[in-house]
Amino acid sequence: MPTTTRVPQEERTRVMRARLLEATIECLVERGFAGTSTTLVSERAGVSRGAQLHHFPTKNDLVVAAVEHLTEKRGVELVAAADALPDGPRHTRAVLDMLADHFTGAVFAAALELWVAARTDASLLAAVEPLEQRIGRETHRLTVELLGLDESMPGNRELAQATLDLVRGLGLADTITDDSRRRAAILDRWADVLDKELG
Amino acid sequence: MPTTTRVPQEERTRVMRARLLEATIECLVERGFAGTSTTLVSERAGVSRGAQLHHFPTKNDLVVAAVEHLTEKRGVELVAAADALPDGPRHTRAVLDMLADHFTGAVFAAALELWVAARTDASLLAAVEPLEQRIGRETHRLTVELLGLDESMPGNRELAQATLDLVRGLGLADTITDDSRRRAAILDRWADVLDKELG
């Protein structure tokens, strides 16, 4: 008697949720928050409306879960990529490149759509605010770790924060024009400053 | 015979246009790009639909003109306020405060709505891209002037750009939460760095 290989229900659910969340990010990136709908997402993900509504009853549930899921996934990728960073004089600059990539990719564009929509939508804001705070804390911790920064030294914490605000600003500057050349020159200069200030 | 004081037509037109553009910014700030309509703006400005459509035939005309008009007005205010800046050791920090205020106010929120909407709207993008470039150049020139920065010195241009990207990132961080305490500590640290780097 042949054994039928069955994918366990739990695994199928996990895959379906991931497909829905990836499709949501794609919709946010291509069409913006206003142009994203639960119908479009379920079509794109190839998931039935019923199944989608079971897991994510509203558009807000879907978009918040999508940005959370993809940010966590990108965070794990960042940590993994950190092992490949060069040691020595080029280390700081390489960290800045990693962070800038993080803030100019699709997940940043999707998150930006969400933050901006939340500014004028109280129910979305209630879900986005704690998510933004958690993402902020995790990205800060990651930056401190990547730069090998000693936060007990006065002023170092603020430099890590300034670095993240800088790359966030660079991300915003890149949303409607390709800003890569200007960005590279600014990050060169910023790496010099960080290396000097952090000793 | 009493002389009737009549406001010349040109002046009345100027006042009406300014009212429409101020109302547009208010709408963008309160309701976002998706929630802004030409009907809402004409109601709020107390201007007839016909007059409004005569001056700004489409929503895109209105929102682009509004961000342009208010950015120029804020730029003029910044230049005027620059005269009141303290000389000496507190100068750089005061400049940073001025710039940060510029990037956390209503005009920034309205511009952010416009940039983000333009990301996924080709016809809006065509109007926003040249406006963003002009605003970028003018803000850069103003920053160089306020900081008294010599751009012929290597690396100084990039420091001015980094300063603007930093305050833009701080502006974004402030859109959904009050970030003023964190921002103040970061700007203190950045003023130290700038003073050291610019000699």
Coordinates of all heavy atoms in Angstrom, one line a residue, chain B residues 79-169:
Chain B
V79 N 14.1 82.3 5.9 CA 15.1 83.3 5.7 C 15.0 84.5 6.6 O 15.9 85.0 7.2 CB 15.1 83.8 4.2 CG1 16.1 85.0 4.0 CG2 15.4 82.6 3.3
A80 N 13.7 84.9 6.8 CA 13.5 86.1 7.7 C 13.8 85.7 9.2 O 14.5 86.5 9.9 CB 12.0 86.5 7.7
A81 N 13.5 84.5 9.6 CA 13.8 84.0 10.9 C 15.3 83.9 11.2 O 15.8 83.9 12.3 CB 13.1 82.7 11.2
A82 N 16.0 83.6 10.1 CA 17.5 83.4 10.2 C 18.2 84.6 10.8 O 19.2 84.5 11.5 CB 18.1 83.1 8.8
D83 N 17.6 85.8 10.6 CA 18.2 87.0 11.2 C 18.2 87.0 12.7 O 19.1 87.6 13.4 CB 17.5 88.3 10.7 CG 17.7 88.5 9.3 OD1 18.8 88.1 8.8 OD2 16.9 89.2 8.6
A84 N 17.3 86.3 13.3 CA 17.1 86.2 14.7 C 18.0 85.1 15.4 O 18.0 85.0 16.6 CB 15.7 86.0 15.1
L85 N 18.7 84.3 14.6 CA 19.5 83.2 15.1 C 20.6 83.8 15.9 O 21.3 84.8 15.6 CB 20.0 82.4 14.0 CG 19.1 81.5 13.2 CD1 19.8 80.8 12.1 CD2 18.5 80.4 14.2
P86 N 21.0 83.1 17.1 CA 22.1 83.5 17.9 C 23.4 83.3 17.2 O 23.6 82.3 16.4 CB 22.0 82.6 19.1 CG 21.3 81.4 18.6 CD 20.3 81.8 17.6
D87 N 24.4 84.2 17.4 CA 25.7 83.9 16.9 C 26.4 83.1 18.0 O 25.9 82.8 19.0 CB 26.5 85.3 16.8 CG 26.1 86.0 15.5 OD1 25.7 85.3 14.5 OD2 26.1 87.2 15.5
G88 N 27.7 82.7 17.6 CA 28.5 82.0 18.6 C 28.2 80.5 18.7 O 27.6 79.9 17.8
P89 N 28.5 79.9 19.9 CA 28.4 78.5 20.1 C 27.0 77.9 19.9 O 26.9 76.7 19.6 CB 28.9 78.2 21.5 CG 28.8 79.5 22.2 CD 28.9 80.6 21.1
R90 N 26.0 78.6 20.1 CA 24.6 78.0 20.0 C 24.0 78.2 18.6 O 22.9 77.7 18.3 CB 23.7 78.7 21.0 CG 24.0 78.3 22.5 CD 23.0 78.7 23.5 NE 21.6 78.6 23.0 CZ 21.0 77.4 22.8 NH1 21.5 76.3 23.1 NH2 19.7 77.4 22.3
H91 N 24.8 78.7 17.6 CA 24.3 79.0 16.3 C 23.9 77.7 15.6 O 22.7 77.6 15.1 CB 25.3 79.8 15.5 CG 24.8 80.0 14.1 ND1 23.9 81.0 13.8 CD2 25.1 79.4 12.9 CE1 23.7 81.0 12.5 NE2 24.4 80.0 11.9
T92 N 24.8 76.7 15.5 CA 24.5 75.5 14.7 C 23.3 74.8 15.2 O 22.4 74.4 14.5 CB 25.7 74.6 14.8 OG1 26.9 75.3 14.3 CG2 25.5 73.3 13.9
R93 N 23.2 74.7 16.6 CA 22.0 74.0 17.2 C 20.7 74.7 16.9 O 19.7 74.1 16.6 CB 22.3 73.9 18.7 CG 21.2 73.1 19.4 CD 21.2 71.7 19.0 NE 20.1 70.9 19.7 CZ 18.9 71.0 19.3 NH1 18.5 71.7 18.3 NH2 18.0 70.3 20.0
A94 N 20.8 76.0 16.8 CA 19.6 76.8 16.5 C 19.2 76.6 15.1 O 18.0 76.6 14.7 CB 19.8 78.3 16.8
V95 N 20.2 76.5 14.2 CA 19.8 76.3 12.8 C 19.2 74.9 12.6 O 18.1 74.8 11.9 CB 21.1 76.3 11.9 CG1 20.9 75.8 10.5 CG2 21.7 77.7 11.8
L96 N 19.7 73.9 13.3 CA 19.1 72.6 13.3 C 17.7 72.6 13.8 O 16.8 71.9 13.2 CB 19.9 71.6 14.1 CG 21.3 71.3 13.5 CD1 22.0 70.2 14.4 CD2 21.3 70.8 12.1
D97 N 17.4 73.4 14.8 CA 16.0 73.5 15.3 C 15.1 74.1 14.3 O 14.0 73.6 14.1 CB 16.0 74.4 16.6 CG 15.7 73.6 17.8 OD1 15.3 72.4 17.7 OD2 15.9 74.1 18.9
M98 N 15.6 75.1 13.6 CA 14.8 75.7 12.5 C 14.5 74.7 11.4 O 13.3 74.6 11.0 CB 15.6 76.9 11.9 CG 15.2 78.2 12.4 SD 16.2 79.5 11.5 CE 15.4 79.5 10.0
L99 N 15.5 74.0 11.0 CA 15.3 73.0 9.9 C 14.3 71.9 10.4 O 13.4 71.5 9.6 CB 16.6 72.4 9.5 CG 17.6 73.4 8.7 CD1 18.9 72.7 8.5 CD2 17.0 73.9 7.4
A100 N 14.5 71.4 11.6 CA 13.7 70.4 12.1 C 12.2 70.8 12.2 O 11.3 70.1 11.9 CB 14.2 69.9 13.5
D101 N 12.0 72.1 12.6 CA 10.6 72.6 12.7 C 10.0 72.6 11.3 O 8.9 72.3 11.1 CB 10.6 74.1 13.2 CG 10.9 74.1 14.7 OD1 10.8 73.1 15.3 OD2 11.1 75.2 15.2
H102 N 10.9 73.0 10.3 CA 10.4 73.1 8.9 C 9.9 71.7 8.4 O 9.0 71.6 7.7 CB 11.6 73.5 8.1 CG 11.3 73.9 6.7 ND1 10.4 74.8 6.4 CD2 11.8 73.5 5.5 CE1 10.3 75.0 5.0 NE2 11.2 74.2 4.5
F103 N 10.6 70.6 8.9 CA 10.3 69.3 8.4 C 9.3 68.5 9.4 O 9.2 67.3 9.2 CB 11.6 68.4 8.3 CG 12.3 68.7 7.0 CD1 13.2 69.8 6.9 CD2 12.1 68.0 5.9 CE1 13.9 70.1 5.7 CE2 12.7 68.2 4.7 CZ 13.6 69.3 4.6
T104 N 8.8 69.2 10.4 CA 7.8 68.5 11.2 C 6.5 69.3 11.2 O 5.5 68.8 11.9 CB 8.3 68.4 12.7 OG1 8.8 69.6 13.1 CG2 9.4 67.3 12.8
G105 N 6.4 70.3 10.4 CA 5.1 71.1 10.4 C 4.1 70.6 9.4 O 4.2 69.6 8.8
A106 N 3.0 71.4 9.3 CA 1.9 71.0 8.4 C 2.3 70.9 6.9 O 1.9 70.0 6.2 CB 0.8 72.1 8.6
V107 N 3.2 71.8 6.5 CA 3.6 71.8 5.1 C 4.4 70.5 4.8 O 4.2 69.9 3.7 CB 4.4 73.1 4.7 CG1 4.9 73.0 3.3 CG2 3.6 74.3 4.9
F108 N 5.2 70.1 5.7 CA 5.9 68.8 5.5 C 4.9 67.6 5.4 O 5.0 66.8 4.5 CB 6.9 68.5 6.6 CG 7.6 67.2 6.5 CD1 8.5 66.9 5.5 CD2 7.2 66.1 7.3 CE1 9.1 65.7 5.4 CE2 7.8 64.8 7.2 CZ 8.8 64.6 6.2
A109 N 3.9 67.6 6.3 CA 2.9 66.5 6.3 C 2.2 66.6 4.9 O 1.9 65.5 4.3 CB 1.9 66.7 7.4
A110 N 1.8 67.7 4.4 CA 1.1 67.9 3.1 C 2.0 67.4 2.0 O 1.6 66.7 1.1 CB 0.7 69.3 2.9
A111 N 3.3 67.8 2.0 CA 4.2 67.4 1.0 C 4.4 65.9 1.0 O 4.5 65.2 0.0 CB 5.6 68.1 1.2
L112 N 4.5 65.3 2.2 CA 4.6 63.9 2.4 C 3.5 63.1 1.7 O 3.7 62.1 1.0 CB 4.7 63.5 3.8 CG 5.0 62.0 4.2 CD1 6.3 61.5 3.6 CD2 4.9 61.9 5.7
E113 N 2.3 63.6 1.9 CA 1.1 63.0 1.3 C 1.2 63.0 -0.2 O 0.9 62.1 -0.9 CB -0.2 63.8 1.7 CG -0.6 63.6 3.1 CD -1.2 62.3 3.4 OE1 -1.6 61.6 2.5 OE2 -1.2 61.9 4.6
L114 N 1.8 64.2 -0.7 CA 1.9 64.3 -2.2 C 3.0 63.4 -2.7 O 2.8 62.7 -3.8 CB 2.3 65.8 -2.4 CG 1.9 66.4 -3.8 CD1 0.4 66.2 -3.9 CD2 2.3 67.9 -3.8
W115 N 4.2 63.4 -2.1 CA 5.3 62.5 -2.6 C 4.8 61.0 -2.6 O 5.1 60.3 -3.5 CB 6.5 62.6 -1.7 CG 7.3 63.9 -1.5 CD1 8.3 64.1 -0.6 CD2 7.1 65.1 -2.3 NE1 8.7 65.4 -0.8 CE2 8.1 66.0 -1.7 CE3 6.3 65.6 -3.3 CZ2 8.2 67.4 -2.2 CZ3 6.4 66.9 -3.7 CH2 7.3 67.7 -3.2
V116 N 4.1 60.6 -1.5 CA 3.8 59.2 -1.4 C 2.7 58.9 -2.5 O 2.8 57.8 -3.1 CB 3.3 58.9 0.0 CG1 2.7 57.5 0.1 CG2 4.5 58.9 1.0
A117 N 1.7 59.8 -2.6 CA 0.7 59.5 -3.7 C 1.4 59.5 -5.1 O 1.0 58.7 -5.9 CB -0.4 60.6 -3.6
A118 N 2.4 60.3 -5.3 CA 3.0 60.4 -6.6 C 3.8 59.1 -6.9 O 4.0 58.8 -8.1 CB 4.0 61.6 -6.7
R119 N 4.2 58.4 -5.9 CA 4.9 57.1 -6.1 C 4.1 56.2 -6.9 O 4.7 55.4 -7.7 CB 5.2 56.5 -4.7 CG 6.5 55.7 -4.6 CD 6.6 55.1 -3.2 NE 5.5 54.3 -2.9 CZ 5.2 53.0 -3.3 NH1 6.0 52.4 -4.1 NH2 4.1 52.4 -2.9
T120 N 2.8 56.2 -6.8 CA 2.0 55.2 -7.5 C 1.0 55.9 -8.5 O 0.0 55.3 -8.9 CB 1.2 54.3 -6.5 OG1 0.5 55.1 -5.6 CG2 2.1 53.4 -5.8
D121 N 1.3 57.1 -8.9 CA 0.4 57.8 -9.8 C 1.2 58.6 -10.8 O 1.8 59.7 -10.5 CB -0.5 58.8 -8.9 CG -1.5 59.7 -9.8 OD1 -1.2 59.9 -11.0 OD2 -2.5 60.1 -9.2
A122 N 1.3 58.1 -12.0 CA 2.2 58.6 -13.0 C 2.0 60.1 -13.4 O 2.9 60.8 -13.5 CB 2.2 57.7 -14.3
S123 N 0.7 60.5 -13.5 CA 0.4 61.9 -13.9 C 0.8 62.8 -12.7 O 1.3 63.9 -13.0 CB -1.0 62.0 -14.3 OG -1.9 61.9 -13.3
L124 N 0.5 62.4 -11.5 CA 0.9 63.3 -10.4 C 2.5 63.3 -10.3 O 3.0 64.4 -10.1 CB 0.3 62.7 -9.1 CG 0.6 63.5 -7.8 CD1 0.0 64.9 -7.9 CD2 -0.1 62.8 -6.6
L125 N 3.1 62.2 -10.5 CA 4.6 62.1 -10.5 C 5.2 63.1 -11.4 O 6.2 63.8 -11.1 CB 5.0 60.7 -10.8 CG 6.6 60.5 -10.7 CD1 7.1 60.8 -9.4 CD2 6.9 59.0 -11.1
A126 N 4.6 63.2 -12.6 CA 5.2 64.1 -13.7 C 5.2 65.6 -13.2 O 6.1 66.4 -13.5 CB 4.4 64.0 -15.0
A127 N 4.2 66.0 -12.3 CA 4.2 67.3 -11.8 C 5.0 67.4 -10.5 O 5.6 68.5 -10.2 CB 2.7 67.7 -11.5
V128 N 5.1 66.4 -9.7 CA 5.7 66.4 -8.4 C 7.3 66.4 -8.6 O 8.0 67.0 -7.8 CB 5.2 65.3 -7.5 CG1 6.2 65.0 -6.4 CG2 3.8 65.7 -7.0
E129 N 7.8 65.6 -9.5 CA 9.2 65.4 -9.7 C 10.0 66.7 -9.8 O 10.9 67.0 -9.1 CB 9.5 64.4 -10.8 CG 10.7 63.5 -10.5 CD 10.8 62.4 -11.6 OE1 9.9 62.2 -12.4 OE2 11.9 61.8 -11.5
P130 N 9.6 67.6 -10.8 CA 10.3 68.8 -10.9 C 10.2 69.7 -9.7 O 11.1 70.4 -9.3 CB 9.7 69.5 -12.2 CG 8.5 68.8 -12.5 CD 8.6 67.4 -11.9
L131 N 9.0 69.7 -9.0 CA 8.8 70.4 -7.8 C 9.7 70.0 -6.7 O 10.3 70.8 -6.0 CB 7.3 70.3 -7.4 CG 6.9 71.0 -6.1 CD1 7.2 72.5 -6.1 CD2 5.5 70.7 -5.7
E132 N 9.8 68.7 -6.5 CA 10.6 68.1 -5.5 C 12.1 68.5 -5.7 O 12.8 68.9 -4.8 CB 10.5 66.6 -5.5 CG 11.1 66.0 -4.2 CD 11.8 64.7 -4.4 OE1 12.2 64.3 -5.5 OE2 12.1 64.0 -3.4
Q133 N 12.5 68.5 -7.0 CA 13.9 68.9 -7.3 C 14.2 70.3 -7.0 O 15.2 70.7 -6.4 CB 14.2 68.5 -8.8 CG 14.5 67.0 -9.0 CD 14.6 66.6 -10.4 OE1 14.6 67.5 -11.3 NE2 14.5 65.3 -10.7
R134 N 13.2 71.2 -7.3 CA 13.4 72.6 -7.1 C 13.4 72.9 -5.6 O 14.3 73.6 -5.0 CB 12.3 73.4 -7.7 CG 12.6 74.9 -7.8 CD 11.8 75.7 -8.8 NE 10.4 75.8 -8.5 CZ 9.4 75.2 -9.0 NH1 9.7 74.4 -10.1 NH2 8.2 75.3 -8.6
I135 N 12.5 72.3 -4.8 CA 12.4 72.4 -3.4 C 13.7 71.9 -2.8 O 14.3 72.5 -1.9 CB 11.2 71.7 -2.8 CG1 9.9 72.4 -3.2 CG2 11.3 71.6 -1.2 CD1 8.7 71.7 -2.6
G136 N 14.2 70.8 -3.3 CA 15.5 70.2 -2.8 C 16.6 71.1 -2.9 O 17.4 71.4 -2.0
R137 N 16.7 71.7 -4.1 CA 17.8 72.7 -4.4 C 17.8 73.9 -3.5 O 18.8 74.4 -2.9 CB 17.8 73.1 -5.9 CG 18.6 72.2 -6.8 CD 18.8 72.9 -8.2 NE 17.6 73.4 -8.8 CZ 16.8 72.7 -9.6 NH1 17.1 71.5 -9.9 NH2 15.7 73.2 -10.1
E138 N 16.5 74.4 -3.4 CA 16.4 75.7 -2.5 C 16.6 75.4 -1.1 O 17.3 76.2 -0.4 CB 15.0 76.2 -2.7 CG 14.8 77.0 -4.0 CD 13.4 77.3 -4.4 OE1 12.5 77.3 -3.5 OE2 13.1 77.6 -5.6
T139 N 16.2 74.2 -0.6 CA 16.4 73.9 0.8 C 17.9 73.7 1.1 O 18.4 74.1 2.1 CB 15.6 72.7 1.3 OG1 14.3 72.7 0.7 CG2 15.5 72.6 2.8
H140 N 18.6 73.1 0.1 CA 20.0 72.9 0.2 C 20.8 74.2 0.3 O 21.6 74.4 1.2 CB 20.5 72.0 -0.9 CG 22.0 71.8 -0.9 ND1 22.6 70.8 -0.1 CD2 23.1 72.4 -1.4 CE1 23.9 70.8 -0.2 NE2 24.2 71.8 -1.0
R141 N 20.4 75.1 -0.6 CA 21.1 76.4 -0.7 C 20.8 77.2 0.7 O 21.8 77.8 1.3 CB 20.5 77.2 -1.8 CG 21.2 78.5 -2.2 CD 20.4 79.4 -3.2 NE 19.0 79.5 -2.9 CZ 18.5 80.2 -1.9 NH1 19.3 80.9 -1.1 NH2 17.2 80.3 -1.7
L142 N 19.6 77.1 1.2 CA 19.3 77.7 2.4 C 20.1 77.2 3.6 O 20.6 77.9 4.5 CB 17.8 77.6 2.7 CG 17.2 78.2 3.9 CD1 17.2 79.7 3.8 CD2 15.7 77.8 4.1
T143 N 20.2 75.8 3.6 CA 21.0 75.2 4.7 C 22.4 75.6 4.7 O 23.0 75.9 5.7 CB 20.9 73.6 4.5 OG1 19.5 73.3 4.5 CG2 21.5 72.9 5.7
V144 N 23.0 75.6 3.5 CA 24.4 76.0 3.3 C 24.6 77.4 3.9 O 25.5 77.7 4.6 CB 24.8 75.9 1.8 CG1 26.1 76.7 1.6 CG2 24.9 74.5 1.4
E145 N 23.7 78.3 3.5 CA 23.7 79.7 3.9 C 23.6 79.8 5.5 O 24.3 80.5 6.1 CB 22.6 80.4 3.2 CG 22.7 81.9 3.2 CD 21.4 82.5 2.5 OE1 21.1 82.1 1.4 OE2 20.8 83.5 3.1
L146 N 22.6 79.1 6.0 CA 22.3 79.2 7.5 C 23.5 78.7 8.3 O 23.9 79.3 9.3 CB 21.1 78.4 7.8 CG 19.7 79.0 7.4 CD1 18.6 78.0 7.7 CD2 19.4 80.3 8.0
L147 N 24.1 77.6 7.8 CA 25.2 77.0 8.5 C 26.5 77.8 8.2 O 27.6 77.5 8.9 CB 25.4 75.5 8.2 CG 24.4 74.6 8.7 CD1 24.6 73.2 8.1 CD2 24.4 74.5 10.2
G148 N 26.5 78.7 7.3 CA 27.7 79.4 6.9 C 28.8 78.5 6.4 O 30.0 78.6 6.7
L149 N 28.4 77.6 5.6 CA 29.2 76.4 5.2 C 29.9 76.7 3.8 O 29.3 77.3 2.9 CB 28.2 75.3 5.0 CG 28.7 73.8 5.0 CD1 27.7 73.0 5.7 CD2 28.9 73.4 3.6
D150 N 31.2 76.4 3.8 CA 32.0 76.7 2.6 C 32.0 75.4 1.8 O 32.7 74.4 2.1 CB 33.5 77.0 3.0 CG 34.4 77.2 1.8 OD1 33.9 77.0 0.6 OD2 35.6 77.5 2.0
E151 N 31.2 75.4 0.7 CA 31.1 74.2 -0.1 C 32.3 73.8 -0.9 O 32.4 72.7 -1.5 CB 29.8 74.3 -1.0 CG 28.6 74.1 -0.3 CD 27.4 73.7 -1.2 OE1 26.9 74.5 -1.9 OE2 27.0 72.5 -1.1
S152 N 33.3 74.7 -1.0 CA 34.5 74.4 -1.8 C 35.4 73.5 -1.0 O 36.3 72.8 -1.5 CB 35.2 75.7 -2.2 OG 35.8 76.3 -1.1
M153 N 35.2 73.4 0.3 CA 35.9 72.4 1.2 C 35.4 71.0 1.0 O 34.2 70.8 1.1 CB 35.8 72.8 2.6 CG 36.3 74.2 3.0 SD 38.1 74.2 3.2 CE 38.3 73.4 4.8
P154 N 36.3 70.0 0.7 CA 35.8 68.7 0.4 C 35.0 68.1 1.6 O 35.4 68.3 2.8 CB 37.1 67.9 0.3 CG 38.2 68.9 0.1 CD 37.8 70.2 0.7
G155 N 33.9 67.5 1.3 CA 33.1 66.8 2.3 C 32.0 67.7 2.9 O 31.1 67.2 3.6
N156 N 32.1 69.0 2.7 CA 31.1 69.9 3.4 C 29.8 69.8 2.7 O 28.7 69.9 3.4 CB 31.6 71.4 3.3 CG 32.6 71.7 4.5 OD1 32.9 70.8 5.2 ND2 32.9 73.0 4.6
R157 N 29.8 69.7 1.4 CA 28.5 69.6 0.6 C 27.7 68.4 1.1 O 26.5 68.5 1.4 CB 28.8 69.5 -0.9 CG 27.6 69.3 -1.7 CD 27.9 69.2 -3.2 NE 26.7 68.9 -3.9 CZ 25.8 69.8 -4.2 NH1 25.9 71.1 -3.7 NH2 24.7 69.5 -4.8
E158 N 28.4 67.3 1.3 CA 27.8 66.0 1.8 C 27.3 66.2 3.2 O 26.3 65.6 3.6 CB 28.8 64.9 1.7 CG 29.0 64.4 0.3 CD 30.0 65.3 -0.5 OE1 30.7 66.1 0.2 OE2 30.0 65.3 -1.7
L159 N 28.0 67.0 4.0 CA 27.5 67.2 5.4 C 26.2 68.0 5.4 O 25.3 67.7 6.2 CB 28.5 68.0 6.3 CG 29.6 67.2 6.9 CD1 30.5 68.1 7.7 CD2 29.0 66.0 7.8
A160 N 26.1 69.0 4.5 CA 24.8 69.7 4.4 C 23.7 68.8 3.9 O 22.6 68.9 4.4 CB 25.0 70.9 3.4
Q161 N 24.0 68.0 2.9 CA 23.0 67.0 2.4 C 22.6 66.0 3.5 O 21.4 65.8 3.7 CB 23.5 66.3 1.2 CG 23.7 67.1 0.0 CD 24.4 66.4 -1.2 OE1 25.4 65.7 -0.9 NE2 23.9 66.6 -2.4
A162 N 23.6 65.5 4.2 CA 23.3 64.6 5.3 C 22.4 65.2 6.4 O 21.5 64.6 6.9 CB 24.6 64.0 6.0
T163 N 22.6 66.5 6.7 CA 21.8 67.2 7.6 C 20.4 67.3 7.2 O 19.5 67.0 8.0 CB 22.4 68.7 7.8 OG1 23.7 68.6 8.3 CG2 21.6 69.4 8.8
L164 N 20.2 67.5 5.9 CA 18.8 67.6 5.4 C 18.1 66.2 5.4 O 16.9 66.1 5.7 CB 18.8 68.2 4.0 CG 18.9 69.7 4.0 CD1 19.0 70.3 2.6 CD2 17.7 70.4 4.7
D165 N 18.9 65.2 5.0 CA 18.3 63.8 5.0 C 18.0 63.4 6.5 O 17.0 62.8 6.7 CB 19.2 62.8 4.3 CG 19.2 63.0 2.8 OD1 18.1 62.8 2.3 OD2 20.2 63.4 2.2
L166 N 18.9 63.8 7.4 CA 18.6 63.5 8.8 C 17.3 64.2 9.3 O 16.4 63.5 9.9 CB 19.8 64.0 9.7 CG 19.5 64.0 11.2 CD1 19.5 62.5 11.7 CD2 20.7 64.7 11.9
V167 N 17.1 65.5 9.0 CA 15.9 66.1 9.5 C 14.6 65.6 8.7 O 13.6 65.6 9.3 CB 15.9 67.7 9.4 CG1 16.9 68.2 10.5 CG2 16.3 68.2 8.1
R168 N 14.8 65.2 7.5 CA 13.7 64.6 6.7 C 13.3 63.3 7.4 O 12.1 63.0 7.6 CB 14.1 64.3 5.3 CG 12.9 64.0 4.4 CD 13.3 63.7 3.0 NE 13.9 64.7 2.3 CZ 15.1 64.7 1.7 NH1 15.9 63.6 1.8 NH2 15.6 65.8 1.1
G169 N 14.3 62.5 7.8 CA 14.0 61.2 8.5 C 13.4 61.5 9.9 O 12.4 60.8 10.3

